[in-house]
Amino acid sequence: MHDETLEEPTHHATSTRRGRTAPRQGPGPRLMGANTLIGNDVFNDQDEDLGEIREIMLDMHTGRVDYAVLSFGGFLGMGEKLFAVPWAALELDTTSRCFVLRVSKARLESAPGFDKQHWPDMADPEWEKGVHEFYGTQPDGPAARDR
């Protein structure tokens, strides 16, 4: 995880989910550079490590972030599965400097995923519908909180 990511504009120390203490400083959390989010850890609300952000997908017509590509499983990039997680399904945890995805690890294993050599057509309306249904989100709306 990048040390400068997911930090609030203050200068006092804070503990992270992994037990590290890090100074909090920077422009976030309202506006952040996309490159500072790549490599950030993703946990669920049971504190299970779900992987890390590999890519940020922008809608070039609206300028909005549509998906974060989550890398899950594998070892040294081998056997990892990638998931396009709707941006609305992720919550920023600035205290722990990570994202929270309210999906169990077991459920994530059954999520629509892909490998780095075979990306889906993210502009396909049927693919988009399936992904949003899985995560309980709407293409232009907030995540469903009652799962």
Side-chain angles (χ1 to χ4, degrees):
M1 182 164 108
H2 303 290
D3 287 335
E4 72 276 7
T5 61
L6 303 179
E7 298 170 357
E8 296 175 341
T10 60
H11 296 285
H12 57 278
T14 183
S15 294
T16 65
R17 284 185 189 252
R18 299 224 173 159
R20 298 182 302 210
T21 300
R24 296 189 319 179
Q25 57 188 351
R30 186 167 180 274
L31 295 173
M32 302 184 78
N35 68 330
T36 65
L37 303 175
I38 294 172
N40 285 157
D41 295 322
V42 178
F43 289 85
N44 62 20
D45 46 359
Q46 290 86 40
D47 209 28
E48 294 176 302
D49 187 350
L50 299 180
E52 68 180 46
I53 302 295
R54 286 280 191 225
E55 193 65 67
I56 304 291
M57 305 305 293
L58 302 174
D59 180 323
M60 298 307 293
H61 294 285
T62 65
R64 294 178 56 173
V65 175
D66 272 358
Y67 302 97
V69 176
L70 172 66
S71 170
F72 174 74
F75 180 70
L76 298 176
M78 301 292 291
E80 73 181 349
K81 189 173 179 184
L82 301 175
F83 302 93
V85 177
W87 192 248
L90 293 164
E91 296 175 36
L92 177 62
D93 182 339
T94 58
T95 302
S96 296
R97 297 176 32 208
C98 67
F99 285 98
V100 176
L101 176 62
R102 297 186 186 281
V103 173
S104 72
K105 196 175 237 186
R107 181 159 165 74
L108 183 61
E109 290 173 353
S110 68
F114 55 98
D115 66 58
K116 62 184 175 184
Q117 301 300 324
H118 302 96
W119 282 57
D121 177 2
M122 293 182 181
D124 176 17
E126 287 301 311
W127 177 87
E128 179 182 46
K129 179 182 175 190
V131 168
H132 283 282
E133 283 178 358
F134 183 87
Y135 292 101
T137 56
Q138 297 295 319
D140 293 318
R145 298 290 178 216
D146 301 321
R147 288 179 239 224

